[in-house]
């Protein structure tokens, strides 16, 4: 998606880039939109796996929250 807008990406391009068979792709995803949902879910899981709620109160929690929000925005 860094090279092509999501609107212009095709399932055929995803299959080729991921080196998957068409049957394997459709076993896991119904469309390119399902791929996008899975990517966003993975991103959020990784971004919040070690969240600021694991830190004690005070500046360390504040710094952790700031870092977490910055990763999400990026």
């Amino acid at each position: 998606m860094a090279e092509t807008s999501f609107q212009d990406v095709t399932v055929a391009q995803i299959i080729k880039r991921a080196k998957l068979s068409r049957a394997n792709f459709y076993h896991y995803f119904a469309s390119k939109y399902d791929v996008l949902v899975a990517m966003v879910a993975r991103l959020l899981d990784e971004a919040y796996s070690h969240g600021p709620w694991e830190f004690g109160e005070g500046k360390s929690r504040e710094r952790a929250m700031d870092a977490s929000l910055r990763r999400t925005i990026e």
Side-chain angles (χ1 to χ4, degrees), residues 5-61:
S5 72
F6 182 73
Q7 180 179 349
D8 294 335
V9 171
T10 66
V11 169
Q13 290 171 319
I14 295 169
I15 289 169
K16 183 178 179 181
R17 186 78 175 252
K19 298 177 182 171
L20 295 171
S21 69
R22 184 169 289 277
N24 200 7
F25 175 88
Y26 283 110
H27 177 77
Y28 292 101
F29 305 104
S31 69
K32 69 179 187 179
Y33 298 98
D34 284 350
V35 174
L36 181 61
V37 168
M39 288 172 61
V40 171
R42 184 175 181 182
L43 171 72
L44 293 175
D45 283 346
E46 290 173 3
Y48 292 107
S49 63
H50 299 289
W53 42 88
E54 295 176 355
F55 292 88
E57 294 182 16
K59 288 290 183 185
S60 60
R61 181 179 282 178

